[in-house]
Amino acid sequence: PGALIANERRSGALSRVRKALPFALFMDGWRAYVRGMLIEEGYAGGAGAYKLFQLNMDLIDACRCLAAIRMHTATMTFDEAVTFFETEASLSHVNALREARRGGLDPMSIRPLLGRLQIIKLREEYRRHLGPAWRPGAFHDRALSFGAPPLRLLRQMLMPGDKGSVL
């Protein structure tokens, strides 16, 4: 696998196998990233309802992250997680139960938030890397041309020789 990744770095292209098997952090992060990016770019004329929806989803993602970490480190019980979602994310009891179950069963429910933050950081560093040649659409096209690789590998393919971190 190391040789395959090294070859992919040199060539700037992922193998068909790596493109077909997406990296979950990239996929979940890209979904959350696009949701916010559409609002930033003025989707629906920047309508307040869309912005409010985005902020609400960001809040739920952040609550998922905290609840999952706290539940899996035994610093929050299931019942406390339910109350947390009701209080902090203003979810109904039924939805709070669902989110608490999700966080209790899947510690990786933090992927959307973590992936989104990594993609935003990568986008901003790629913007600085390109300088005046920067275009958001070109970043999206180039990033997606590699399939859904680990974000550290995507960073190296977008900016060869870069030693920065993903977060």
Side-chain angles (χ1 to χ4, degrees), residues 50-125:
Y50 291 103
K51 180 68 174 172
L52 187 57
F53 172 77
Q54 170 57 32
L55 292 171
N56 186 55
M57 292 305 297
D58 287 348
L59 178 61
I60 292 169
D61 282 348
C63 287
R64 278 185 194 131
C65 186
L66 287 171
I69 290 168
R70 289 176 179 167
M71 289 171 67
H72 286 272
T73 58
T75 57
M76 178 183 276
T77 67
F78 177 81
D79 291 335
E80 289 170 336
V82 172
T83 302
F84 178 73
F85 279 108
E86 290 172 338
T87 305
E88 300 301 323
S90 300
L91 293 181
S92 68
H93 185 70
V94 169
N95 288 333
L97 281 168
R98 185 188 73 235
E99 291 297 341
R101 272 191 214 102
R102 178 181 181 186
L105 293 172
D106 181 11
M108 292 312 295
S109 59
I110 66 173
R111 282 189 307 254
L113 178 64
L114 185 60
R116 179 174 182 236
L117 293 174
Q118 289 181 2
I119 291 167
I120 289 170
K121 180 181 182 205
L122 176 60
R123 178 189 69 189
E124 295 310 311
E125 291 180 2

Side-chain angles (χ1 to χ4, degrees), residues 4-15 19 141-147 149 153-154 156-160:
L4 174 63
I5 291 173
N7 184 43
E8 289 171 349
R9 284 181 191 154
R10 279 191 301 278
S11 70
L14 291 174
S15 68
K19 282 185 179 181
D141 290 345
R142 182 130 166 85
L144 292 174
S145 74
F146 297 110
L153 181 58
L154 178 59
Q156 292 169 355
M157 289 186 291
L158 288 173
M159 299 179 290

Side-chain angles (χ1 to χ4, degrees), residues 9 121 125 152 155-156 159-166:
R9 284 181 191 154
K121 180 181 182 205
E125 291 180 2
R152 179 176 302 280
R155 178 185 188 88
Q156 292 169 355
M159 299 179 290
D162 180 75
K163 301 291 185 203
S165 67
V166 292

